[in-house]
Amino acid sequence: QSVLTQPPSVSGAPGQRVTISCTGSSSNIGAGYDVHWYQQLPGTAPKLLIYGNSNRPSGVPDRFSGSKSGTSASLAITGLQAEDEADYYCQSYDSSLSARVFGGGTKLTVL
Amino acid sequence: QVQLQESGPGLVKPSQTLSLTCTVSGGSISSGGYYWSWIRQHPGKGLEWIGYIYYSGSTYYNPSLKSRVTISVDTSKNQFSLKLSSVTAADTAVYYCASESGYYYVYWGQGTLVTVSS
């Protein structure tokens, strides 16, 4: 059971928009800690996608965007492409656990 | 561009100590700015933070693993290492080394699968 809750799977057709939620609590996201997102393509290491809730590292397309509100955060992907098919993880810090924590991951399927 | 590469045995016997090393290239561990971290991923599962070390040697471990974890650094070799003692099958996972800045992970190694089995 992950501290940050993500839907196990989402799907969308090419060109569509999908969102992935990340729900936390008052000891992590709700406490003001930033949320970061990673993309993990099959058989590879995770790659930083969004940091500090809504910032994109250099090289990440602006089709990817992040937001945070209250005890939750969201990753939005617009103009869905086949290459976006991957697992996506949110990550934050939890003060009760004194640990960096990850969501359980969401598998994105491009139909 | 910083690159990280994990190395170590792929098979460890139960009750023994898992030992992995991460070699950093394209940057110096001693330059500061990053916390050098270990993260693992159980087969088909999510990610779990293990802990980190700063170049000065200060460490911070996940409380759930703290009693079994030791992370050390060798600045002369630009490497940092993980030791996890008293392993069981539940420690079978892909182990990643990564660099943390601002509570997020910028650079990752490719990961190495460690299986705990007799």
Side-chain angles (χ1 to χ4, degrees):
Chain A
Q1 193 80 3
S2 300
V3 172
L4 304 179
T5 301
Q6 298 180 235
S9 63
V10 297
S11 63
Q16 284 190 333
R17 178 181 186 270
V18 296
T19 61
I20 298 173
S21 61
C22 176
T23 303
S25 68
S26 59
S27 60
N28 42 68
I29 299 174
Y33 294 104
D34 286 342
V35 178
H36 320 292
W37 292 90
Y38 303 87
Q39 177 192 59
Q40 186 174 33
L41 297 170
T44 69
K47 168 192 167 186
L48 181 65
L49 202 61
I50 297 287
Y51 67 95
N53 305 316
S54 59
N55 301 291
R56 283 188 311 276
S58 173
V60 173
D62 59 7
R63 300 187 296 105
F64 295 89
S65 63
S67 63
K68 172 187 160 184
S69 178
T71 58
S72 295
S74 289
L75 173 71
I77 309 172
T78 59
L80 208 55
Q81 300 179 3
E83 66 201 51
D84 298 333
E85 193 160 283
D87 293 324
Y88 293 83
Y89 293 90
C90 61
Q91 179 244 317
S92 186
Y93 177 81
D94 189 285
S95 58
S96 294
L97 299 173
S98 297
R100 282 84 169 130
V101 292
F102 290 89
T106 298
K107 181 175 182 57
L108 169 62
T109 300
V110 181
L111 302 171
Chain B
Q1 177 84 353
V2 175
Q3 294 184 313
L4 299 93
Q5 177 69 58
E6 305 89 352
S7 59
L11 181 64
V12 181
K13 288 182 168 51
S15 80
Q16 294 191 340
T17 297
L18 178 160
S19 296
L20 295 173
T21 295
C22 182
T23 300
V24 179
S25 58
S28 172
I29 281 182
S30 300
S31 63
Y34 291 117
Y35 294 91
W36 303 98
S37 307
W38 289 96
I39 295 162
R40 69 180 182 179
Q41 185 170 33
H42 294 103
K45 302 295 184 182
L47 299 160
E48 180 180 28
W49 171 68
I50 299 172
Y52 70 65
I53 190 164
Y54 197 52
Y55 78 94
S56 62
S58 61
T59 55
Y60 186 28
Y61 303 139
N62 189 327
S64 68
L65 296 168
K66 185 177 180 180
S67 63
R68 298 194 292 131
V69 172
T70 302
I71 299 176
S72 58
V73 65
D74 186 336
T75 55
S76 67
K77 295 182 179 179
N78 224 30
Q79 295 175 333
F80 62 105
S81 298
L82 168 71
K83 290 188 184 301
L84 182 65
S85 63
S86 306
V87 297
T88 69
D91 294 308
T92 294
V94 173
Y95 287 76
Y96 294 100
C97 57
S99 62
E100 178 189 312
S101 176
Y103 287 88
Y104 56 90
Y105 302 96
V106 182
Y107 301 108
W108 295 69
Q110 65 184 29
T112 186
L113 173 63
V114 178
T115 301
V116 179
S117 175
S118 55

